[in-house]
Amino acid sequence: MEATTGMHTHGHKGDFYVEADGKQEALMTFVMAGEKQMIIDHTEVNPGNNDKGYGKMMVMAAVDFARNNDIKIVPLCPFAKSVFDKTPEIRDVL
């Protein structure tokens, strides 16, 4: 089973998600604060998907998006904040 990440935007809000076998298994929501700041406010992973790395996959997708678009991330979500705390090489987008 291969998991892939994707992104949806809806005006100034959006989400990153993980899909596996055609089903959405995880979701991380964000809101844009102006043009250059993304606030990650919530992360959830469907039951049965613990320890598959889906949460970190979504954070890394957000980091890639931020780097490619010169955006800074504010990780208000405790899970996203913990990924930044544990991963120094992605702190350039904070």
Side-chain angles (χ1 to χ4, degrees):
M1 165 172 61
E2 185 174 330
T4 59
T5 59
M7 177 182 175
H8 297 120
T9 56
H10 324 282
H12 69 285
K13 294 183 178 186
D15 60 71
F16 291 89
Y17 61 90
V18 172
E19 196 171 88
D21 289 336
K23 182 179 176 219
Q24 183 176 299
E25 296 291 351
L27 183 73
M28 182 177 76
T29 60
F30 66 87
V31 62
M32 294 300 296
E35 296 283 317
K36 296 293 181 181
Q37 193 171 58
M38 171 188 288
I39 300 170
I40 297 174
D41 55 9
H42 181 73
T43 303
E44 61 185 62
V45 177
N46 290 356
N49 289 307
N50 294 345
D51 300 321
K52 292 185 179 178
Y54 291 169
K56 187 171 183 181
M57 285 175 64
M58 293 183 296
V59 171
M60 297 310 289
V63 168
D64 288 342
F65 179 80
R67 286 177 175 158
N68 291 333
N69 293 281
D70 192 29
I71 293 171
K72 295 297 184 182
I73 294 176
V74 178
L76 291 186
C77 163
F79 174 81
K81 183 179 178 334
S82 76
V83 173
F84 279 98
D85 289 346
K86 295 174 189 172
T87 318
E89 62 269 21
I90 62 172
R91 293 185 194 149
D92 59 297
V93 298
L94 292 179

